[in-house]
């Protein structure tokens, strides 16, 4: 891109000030700035600015109803498992991981997926995801293509982690990396923020950036060519997730659903999770911060929480639904943050208070567009223990403890008692569940 082209692009969205330090920049800095401007879509900038000017519209959630949430047992469970196994055997299932986040709460230097979470092996988070996919491929003699969304900031390091680990045993031809978009930060007045005289402050466009990125990268077409219909979506920070589990996959297929969600009972009424609610015939995810105290505490006649279930972001999507929604604009969410900026004197300032906005899209905003949505309850102790914070709740310590408790339960179900404090780790390819352990007839215990 030339200077003239950059000027033209910025003019189209009223952001000419981005070039105000041009004269003082070195050749290298100029090149880098032009490259950044080339990635900016003027229409998106205009949309962000409009969202900023309009402010956040208060949405009325008071009429929201709790959705019907299914619990699979007995014959229904058997039917779902059979349908899911058939979907897997026919190669119609893909795994879709969002791993483009910045992981700022954890504060780890590198992609979160490279975080060494293995209780005994220090294996990275990516290891557990990849090995579970491989285990299902081996079990069902199938291929489960693995689509991984990264961001510009962590794409190279993510690919390096897979390469250095021989893709954890997966076939590299079936692993597809693609990057999400980045959006510039803005001041309260809608001006793009420079965090250095020759550099625009940009941040990932949220996990909802997934749809545009799937489309842009050709991943949606790749899924179609491979005959994929069910897309299992999960987040990088939860090594307990049962990727492409037959019961949930089959439940989704039997419900003929566009968007299926696993939900777990909240551990306290004010837990910080999204709550799906029904409005008329459509569903919408309501953030915990948008609920009133009355809604959080409301009880059923049986004394249970009325809005009992929250979403840990474990979904199955219909591929065609994703392809349809990838062509639509998604709502924007604004986050007021501390963003470094260049002051009048051309000096970089690190503010102590929030001073600018980041813009994000959230994947669950497509829920109201689903022609059919389905909700399945599950037990979080078996499938959900995210690594969000460096310490305390949802930290590496709590996650490692939960991983080991799950493995101990697996061992117990296979008839092996394992004392509470004994460290344990099981490679998912060795055994995905207690039945695998029993059929192997031998056990690997490490301490
Ligand atoms: P979180 O909301 O937990 O954000 O992401 P985060 O970036 O990982 O961590 P913090 O908030 O900075 O501490 C939930 C999932 O969505 C992905 C993350 O990688 C994680 O798997 N995500 C988030 C993206 O892929 N892109 C984004 O822009 C944001």
């Amino acid at each position: 891109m030339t200077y003239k082209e950059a000027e033209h692009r910025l003019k189209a969205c009223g952001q000419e000030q981005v070039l105000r330090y041009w004269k003082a920049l070195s050749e290298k800095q100029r090149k880098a700035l032009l490259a950044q401007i080339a990635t900016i879509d003027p229409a998106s900038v205009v949309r962000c600015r409009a969202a900023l000017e309009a402010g956040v519209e208060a949405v009325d959630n008071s009429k929201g109803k709790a959705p019907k949430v299914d619990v699979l047992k007995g014959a229904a469970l058997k039917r779902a498992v059979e349908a899911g196994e058939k979907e897997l055997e026919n190669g119609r299932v893909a795994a879709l991981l969002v791993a483009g986040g910045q992981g700022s709460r954890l504060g780890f230097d590198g992609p979160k997926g490279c975080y060494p979470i293995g209780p005994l092996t220090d294996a990275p988070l990516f290891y557990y995801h990849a090995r579970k996919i491989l285990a299902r491929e081996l079990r069902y003699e199938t291929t489960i293509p693995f689509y991984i969304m990264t961001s510009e900031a962590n794409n190279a390091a993510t690919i390096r982690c897979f390469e250095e680990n021989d893709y954890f045993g997966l076939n590299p031809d079936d692993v597809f990396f693609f990057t999400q978009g980045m959006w510039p930060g803005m001041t309260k007045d809608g001006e793009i923020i420079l965090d250095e005289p020759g550099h625009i402050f940009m941040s990932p466009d949220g996990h909802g950036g997934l749809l545009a990125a799937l489309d842009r990268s050709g991943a949606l077409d790749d899924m179609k060519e491979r005959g994929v219909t069910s897309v299992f979506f999960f987040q990088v920070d939860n090594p307990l997730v049962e990727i492409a589990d037959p019961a949930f996959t089959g439940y989704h297929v039997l419900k003929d659903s566009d968007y299926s969600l696993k939900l777990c009972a909240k551990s306290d009424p004010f837990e910080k999770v999204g709550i799906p609610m029904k409005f008329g015939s459509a569903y919408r995810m309501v953030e915990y911060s948008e609920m009133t105290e009355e809604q959080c505490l409301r009880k059923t006649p049986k004394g249970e929480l009325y809005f009992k279930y929250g979403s840990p972001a474990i979904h199955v999507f219909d591929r065609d639904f994703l392809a349809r929604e990838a062509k639509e604009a998604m709502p924007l969410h604004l986050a007021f943050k501390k963003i470094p900026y260049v002051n009048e004197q051309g000096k970089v300032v690190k503010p102590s208070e929030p001073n600018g906005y980041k813009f994000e899209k959230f994947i669950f905003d497509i829920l109201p567009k689903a022609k059919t949505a389905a909700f399945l309850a599950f037990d979080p102790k078996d499938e959900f223990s995210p690594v969000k914070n460096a310490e305390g709740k949802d930290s590496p310590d709590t996650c490692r403890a939960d991983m080991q408790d799950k493995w101990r339960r697996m061992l117990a179900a296979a008839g092996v008692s394992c004392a509470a404090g004994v460290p344990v780790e099981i490679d998912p390819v060795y055994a995905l569940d207690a039945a695998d352990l029993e059929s192997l007839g031998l056990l690997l215990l490490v301490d």
Side-chain angles (χ1 to χ4, degrees), residues 97-107 112-113 149-151 154 180-181 203-210 233-238 313 337 358-362 386-389:
L97 168 63
V98 283
Q102 294 172 305
S104 40
R105 281 169 289 173
L106 181 62
K112 209 191 238 188
M149 184 172 83
T150 61
S151 75
N154 69 17
Q180 67 179 109
S203 60
D205 59 356
H207 43 62
L210 172 68
F233 167 102
F234 63 107
Q235 301 193 333
V236 72
D237 48 31
N238 177 24
K337 298 275 179 184
K358 289 184 181 179
F359 300 85
E360 284 190 313
K361 296 179 278 189
F362 296 157
V387 181
K388 297 280 185 199
N389 307 306

Side-chain angles (χ1 to χ4, degrees), residues 87-88 91-98 144-148 178 210-211 214 219-224 226-234 243-245 248-250 252-253 257-261 313-323 363 366:
E87 191 82 345
L88 282 155
R92 292 198 290 253
V93 182
L96 173 58
L97 168 63
V98 283
I144 303 174
F146 188 14
Y147 301 87
I148 302 172
F178 62 104
L210 172 68
L211 291 181
L214 276 173
L220 280 171
D221 292 337
D222 188 70
M223 287 180 193
K224 192 170 188 180
R226 289 169 178 265
V228 167
T229 48
S230 299
V231 183
F232 185 96
F233 167 102
F234 63 107
I243 301 165
D245 72 298
F248 185 37
T249 308
H252 167 83
V253 171
S257 169
D258 274 345
Y259 187 165
S260 303
L261 298 90
I314 302 172
H315 312 313
V316 181
F317 293 110
D318 176 63
R319 192 223 72 106
D320 291 350
F321 173 58
L322 291 179
I363 187 64
I366 61 173

